Amino acid sequence: MACDKTAYALRTMATAPGYLPRLDSRKAFVDYLEGYTEPVVEELEAGKLNRKLLKTYMLETARHESTMPSMDSLFPEHVQLERLDDTLYRVEDSEHDGHVVGLLEVLEERHPVLYTTLDANVSNKWVRQVVDRNPWLDRLWLSSPILFELWGYVKRTTPSHRYVRLGFEHEAWYEATHGFAEADEEDFGDNEPQNDDSAQGLAERRRSRVTLTERLGVLEEKLPDFRALYDPMHSLVSLQIPSGNRGGHLLYFDGHATNRSDSFVEHRREIAKVLKLYRTVTEYSEDQLWLETTEVGDDAFTVKGAPVTIRFSRPLNEDTFARFVDLGLKRRTSKLRIGGYITRRGPTKVHVAAIDRHLWQPFLLEATSQQLTAVLPRGTCGNTIHRLVTNVQRWLDPNVEVWLGSEPYETAVANSMQAAA
């Protein structure tokens, strides 16, 4: 009873809807957030949600060998971080009248995590602006192979009668269209469906969005056949991991997660599992791919490293390839978050002296109508691979093959899951 009264008292301390109270310790915030989540599942089940859900944003910095700036300097001047302990910060924003917009926790050495109860439209924009302003930060990109591997984890650990939610999405955004007004890439939201009145509805192109909420046993039986029949089902963009009690933990492709369970502690534990898998596969990919040369005597050297290859399920036509080069590789607002200098080698082949806007690392990219091939020098973040795969599957081709040198990307993800277990 005392715990219930404490949780209720803490919940009433929030200074405004969506903001967190100005508490001074980890224990106080954990107690608050654990109490905050208790009514959420009941409200969701009743269809009368009276509060904002807890959102988690998983971010990427750099590998621990890099010299990182202080955590404070990763954020704009109007954002203040108040340290509560070695890995937890209270996040205040003067543009929000100094309110506490969230908590920042360094759950993994290279992965800070933001917890917030702001409205999704507000928090998505806040995180996007923070990430875009600092090359030291990027989102986590939970590519379809990573989410499918987590789906395998769900199948192994969850009773077959529990309900599971899977989301698939593909839009042929780079498919050439004629005679229609086009939306800019910045018009696309992070996770939410577009309004039917938005400009993108004027251009007719292939677009698929499928959400399945079904008993795990049914999905386990039917999903393989569905994927074989309809290739957008290879582009998995969201997965809800069932909780130990009710509800679950909804993961999105861009590292955004929503706690739809009745426990913040459990939610944090599931996020830590995702981060451990992600860091393992990212650093494994870096070790395999980073290009390095070593001198051997006076007149010779050895080369270590391998390219990453993303092979399309069918060749792109010339118009689609040209649009992909223009919007995906040249435009500053590209979802791929890369730029650079393009040299055309033919109607469906270009070489790119590319710059990854995360860490401003240069790398080499060859794009043809059949595949993308990238060579990553040492220091390039492995996050680049996950971002490329995620956005190619969402916007260009949902059923690609990806190779890390001669090893399938899916194999690397599966092995990393075993290593992280």
Side-chain angles (χ1 to χ4, degrees):
M1 181 67 71
C3 257
D4 291 341
K5 290 181 178 178
T6 301
Y8 176 80
L10 287 169
R11 288 200 299 271
T12 62
M13 290 173 61
T15 53
Y19 296 115
L20 293 175
R22 188 170 279 99
L23 304 175
D24 294 321
S25 71
R26 176 184 292 270
K27 182 180 184 306
F29 270 115
V30 170
D31 287 345
Y32 172 81
L33 291 174
E34 190 71 8
Y36 183 92
T37 60
E38 285 176 0
V40 165
V41 172
E42 294 176 3
E43 293 172 3
L44 286 170
E45 290 174 346
K48 298 178 180 179
L49 187 62
N50 297 317
R51 65 184 63 217
K52 307 301 181 186
L53 293 169
L54 175 76
K55 273 76 67 179
T56 300
Y57 293 86
M58 295 172 277
L59 305 176
E60 168 86 35
T61 54
R63 194 160 178 169
H64 52 83
E65 289 95 338
S66 303
T67 303
M68 279 285 298
S70 67
M71 192 63 66
D72 288 357
S73 64
L74 300 182
F75 293 83
E77 290 185 0
H78 59 84
V79 177
Q80 293 80 44
L81 299 187
E82 297 293 333
R83 183 187 287 273
L84 301 180
D85 59 30
D86 288 346
T87 60
L88 187 67
Y89 302 81
R90 190 176 64 221
V91 184
E92 302 173 6
D93 190 336
S94 60
E95 292 187 357
H96 286 253
D97 296 326
H99 286 305
V100 179
V101 297
L103 287 176
L104 188 75
E105 183 176 20
V106 185
L107 265 181
E108 279 276 347
E109 192 172 18
R110 65 190 288 180
H111 298 307
V113 170
L114 177 76
Y115 309 110
T116 182
T117 53
L118 291 174
D119 181 83
N121 291 329
V122 177
S123 60
N124 286 341
K125 181 179 179 181
W126 192 93
V127 170
R128 184 168 60 248
Q129 290 176 341
V130 166
V131 168
D132 287 349
R133 290 175 182 177
N134 196 312
W136 286 101
L137 286 177
D138 196 5
R139 297 171 178 269
L140 252 67
W141 292 93
L142 300 178
S143 63
S144 292
I146 292 175
L147 287 173
F148 273 118
E149 194 60 36
L150 289 168
W151 163 235
Y153 158 74
V154 169
K155 290 189 290 184
R156 294 190 300 271
T157 59
T158 305
S160 61
H161 68 273
R162 290 291 303 273
Y163 280 93
V164 180
R165 174 176 167 180
L166 300 173
F168 303 84
E169 185 175 358
H170 171 70
E171 178 170 359
W173 169 246
Y174 296 111
E175 181 180 292
T177 57
H178 303 282
F180 294 97
E182 296 285 8
D184 191 276
E185 267 192 313
E186 289 184 323
D187 293 335
F188 287 81
D190 292 308
N191 301 309
E192 302 304 321
Q194 295 294 306
N195 187 304
D196 287 341
D197 295 328
S198 65
Q200 78 178 91
L202 300 177
E204 294 180 343
R205 60 167 64 90
R206 185 187 191 197
R207 187 183 187 202
S208 303
R209 177 181 280 120
V210 178
T211 300
L212 302 175
T213 303
E214 183 55 89
R215 293 188 187 277
L216 186 148
V218 174
L219 287 175
E220 192 171 11
E221 177 186 356
K222 303 295 185 183
L223 187 59
D225 292 338
F226 201 176
R227 291 182 68 199
L229 290 171
Y230 192 49
D231 65 359
M233 301 297 289
H234 290 271
S235 180
L236 181 62
V237 298
S238 64
L239 165 67
Q240 181 160 306
I241 298 175
S243 70
N245 189 12
R246 296 177 298 171
H249 313 278
L250 184 56
L251 305 174
Y252 291 97
F253 67 94
D254 61 355
H256 166 202
T258 302
N259 185 13
R260 301 173 70 87
S261 78
D262 56 4
S263 172
F264 167 72
V265 172
E266 182 187 292
H267 179 72
R268 179 181 177 275
R269 186 166 59 244
E270 292 298 329
I271 294 298
K273 290 179 184 177
V274 173
L275 291 178
K276 188 175 182 181
L277 165 63
Y278 192 85
R279 180 176 176 181
T280 302
V281 69
T282 298
E283 296 189 353
Y284 174 81
S285 301
E286 292 166 348
D287 291 339
Q288 299 303 306
L289 299 177
W290 277 353
L291 183 66
E292 298 180 280
T293 60
T294 304
E295 290 187 9
V296 180
D298 296 329
D299 302 315
F301 59 88
T302 61
V303 177
K304 178 182 179 295
V308 55
T309 304
I310 302 175
R311 191 167 299 149
F312 306 136
S313 61
R314 60 184 65 85
L316 308 178
N317 63 47
E318 287 190 23
D319 288 342
T320 298
F321 180 80
R323 180 174 165 86
F324 172 64
V325 171
D326 182 50
L327 298 182
L329 302 180
K330 291 175 62 177
R331 185 169 293 194
R332 183 184 61 81
T333 57
S334 166
K335 293 287 188 184
L336 303 182
R337 209 183 178 202
I338 63 174
Y341 299 95
I342 292 177
T343 303
R344 297 187 180 275
R345 299 298 187 187
T348 57
K349 182 176 182 178
V350 299
H351 288 167
V352 186
I355 298 289
D356 192 328
R357 294 206 299 272
H358 175 48
L359 304 183
W360 291 113
Q361 282 287 342
F363 68 99
L364 301 178
L365 176 68
E366 180 184 83
T368 73
S369 60
Q370 296 183 327
Q371 64 185 35
L372 303 177
T373 306
V375 177
L376 309 181
R378 182 174 183 82
T380 308
C381 185
N383 200 40
T384 304
I385 303 162
H386 311 315
R387 187 184 335 114
L388 280 171
V389 174
T390 299
N391 286 289
V392 164
Q393 287 195 276
R394 283 195 75 208
W395 307 112
L396 189 61
D397 185 341
N399 192 14
V400 295
E401 292 181 357
V402 184
W403 298 83
L404 308 181
S406 60
E407 181 181 23
Y409 177 56
E410 289 87 348
T411 300
V413 173
N415 291 341
S416 296
M417 172 67 92
Q418 292 180 5

